[in-house]
Amino acid sequence: MQHSLVIGARGEIGSAIVDTFLARGDKVAALDLAEAGIQQQPRLYRGPIDVLKADQVDRAIGLALDWLGVPDVFVNAVGVMQRGPLLAMSDQDFEQTLAVNLTGAFRSTRAVSRVMAAAQGGCILHLSSVHGQTGMPDRCAYAASKGGIEAMVKALAAELGPQGISVNALAPGPIGAGMGGVGRARQGLTQLAPLGRVAQVGEVANCAAFLTAPASRAITGQVITLDCGLTSTLLSRTAPQEAGCVQQ
């Protein structure tokens, strides 16, 4: 039985990861801003966390680890998306997105890695996004925060590896029906994906389970994209396929 800590545990992906970890037999501490108070069951702890407040992050994680013990696994699934064109985006909107998605990830990872390093081992997994890898209009703040996550993962894999800690990220593309339902834009993305569909939240959770399993600890510094092949093959699906045409 692994001891796993998940923050952002009430979100769609975070909740699926908690359920998947419980199903594989883990003892799980699940933290989220939406939690009103602390609840404890034999294998599940729920409590509040606000990643915008450094002292509250340390306290919330400390209380969770008092119950959980030394974590084998830490998953950061916290994230917010601020959409809008560059010229309409305020400093506050941009800074808020980075504060939650990137600075919050830094704070929680710092708190957990102290404990993991003392125990000489562990696995850290962050949730990124395809927006951290490819461009899309009206996503500059979100893209910047997720690109920062992926760069941080690679740096921390190098830094924490000597303490036996692996650090990776998952970068989902469109998931399920999406918050806005199956609209025209999502249908277009589905048609462009080689698998002809978008990923499901359970597939993201299953990949998280794989990357955090003891047998996968040789994998570190990696960003695994789950988008049914959309971003890696987009050019081949959209460029003209004329005879004699050379793509460079």
Side-chain angles (χ1 to χ4, degrees), residues 1-7 13-30 43-44 72-76 123 125 127 170 204-213 217:
M1 177 174 67
Q2 293 199 106
H3 291 190
S4 298
L5 172 65
V6 180
I7 68 171
I13 293 176
S15 178
I17 289 173
V18 169
D19 290 344
T20 300
F21 284 6
L22 288 170
R24 75 176 179 184
D26 288 14
K27 184 178 182 181
V28 181
R43 286 199 299 118
L44 178 62
D72 303 295
V73 173
F74 168 56
V75 177
N76 166 43
C123 176
L125 181 65
L127 265 292
L170 290 179
V204 181
N206 287 338
C207 193
F210 167 75
L211 285 174
T212 58
R217 296 299 167 82

Side-chain angles (χ1 to χ4, degrees), residues 212-232:
T212 58
S216 301
R217 296 299 167 82
I219 303 172
T220 193
Q222 303 302 307
V223 179
I224 308 299
T225 303
L226 296 93
D227 66 352
C228 296
L230 180 64
T231 54
S232 61

Side-chain angles (χ1 to χ4, degrees), residues 44-64:
L44 178 62
Y45 169 104
R46 290 195 178 277
I49 190 169
D50 184 349
V51 298
L52 293 177
K53 300 175 181 177
D55 57 343
Q56 209 273 337
V57 169
D58 289 339
R59 180 175 181 274
I61 290 176
L63 289 172

Side-chain angles (χ1 to χ4, degrees), residues 142-179:
Y142 188 69
S145 69
K146 293 304 184 178
I149 285 285
E150 296 188 8
M152 185 171 72
V153 159
K154 295 178 185 298
L156 291 180
E159 180 175 341
L160 300 178
Q163 283 77 52
I165 302 171
S166 64
V167 188
N168 296 292
L170 290 179
I175 298 294
M179 290 184 293

